[in-house]
Amino acid sequence: MKKLVSFILAGTAVLALTGASMADNPMVGGAAMYADKNIIENAVNSADHTTLVAAVKAAGLVETLSGDGPFTVFAPTDAAFEKLPDGTVETVLKPENKELLTTILTCHVVGAEAMSGAIGKMIADDGGTHPVETLGGCTLQAKMDGDKITLTDENGNVATVTIADVDQSNGVIHVIDTVLLPKQ
């Protein structure tokens, strides 16, 4: 028993010295995500989120999403943006469409930190569907599909959380496979 306790203590010391933790964040877009970095500091390293990062920059939201939060960001991948009709991304990235772009992006952000377990509990407590109010004024409907969380926007588009609980210093990122849009 004494050897086991010594081994556990030694292992804990090694983890503390290397900065690792027992519950490391998942990799996103081939990059490590660090819980001591903010949403923007981590997102810029993901190869799967170059379109999202470009959109956040074009909308002028870098400072906001680098702020204290807490935020929950449902982060669409580049593949999610590619599912939009041809020319959509290029159109919304134009300076004259900054207001629309800001609304679209903030419809992916909640002004609270919500890990997947908490979202799942809210869904269960609400009988299978939980309304999620976003900073962009959209109301998403969160549901469970097996063990995955889905989000339905006001147009009926459904996004699935493909990577959950990417802890950030100012909130959490959940990677999604579809861009959610404000009511048209």
Side-chain angles (χ1 to χ4, degrees):
M1 181 68 169
K2 209 175 201 182
K3 283 185 179 184
L4 178 60
V5 170
S6 294
F7 176 76
I8 291 171
L9 291 174
T12 303
V14 169
L15 288 172
L17 290 173
T18 62
S21 71
M22 294 284 201
D24 284 335
N25 266 339
M27 299 275 288
V28 176
M33 298 286 116
Y34 299 99
D36 62 347
K37 292 190 177 198
N38 69 45
I39 289 164
I40 297 300
E41 291 171 328
N42 276 318
V44 298
N45 295 318
S46 169
D48 291 344
H49 291 89
T50 58
T51 305
L52 178 62
V53 169
V56 167
K57 288 177 182 176
L61 292 172
V62 171
E63 188 175 323
T64 301
L65 293 176
S66 296
D68 291 339
F71 302 110
T72 296
V73 175
F74 297 105
T77 61
D78 292 345
F81 281 100
E82 290 169 9
K83 293 184 341 186
L84 294 170
D86 286 345
T88 301
V89 173
E90 295 78 13
T91 299
V92 298
L93 287 176
K94 291 180 179 176
E96 62 266 25
N97 295 320
K98 184 177 178 178
E99 186 177 329
L100 173 61
L101 177 61
T102 300
T103 300
I104 291 169
L105 292 174
T106 55
C107 280
H108 291 81
V109 181
V110 177
E113 183 173 338
M115 300 300 266
S116 62
I119 297 169
K121 182 175 179 346
M122 289 183 267
I123 292 168
D125 290 349
D126 287 350
T129 303
H130 178 72
V132 177
E133 301 292 327
T134 69
L135 295 179
C138 299
T139 302
L140 309 174
Q141 301 301 319
K143 298 178 184 178
M144 296 301 298
D145 183 6
D147 63 348
K148 298 273 188 184
I149 295 170
T150 64
L151 301 159
T152 304
D153 69 18
E154 296 163 328
N155 302 298
N157 299 309
V158 179
T160 300
V161 174
T162 57
I163 302 174
D165 300 334
V166 186
D167 192 23
Q168 313 290 294
S169 65
N170 62 344
V172 61
I173 293 174
H174 301 291
V175 176
I176 58 174
D177 64 357
T178 301
V179 176
L180 302 165
L181 299 170
K183 189 168 182 130
Q184 299 174 357

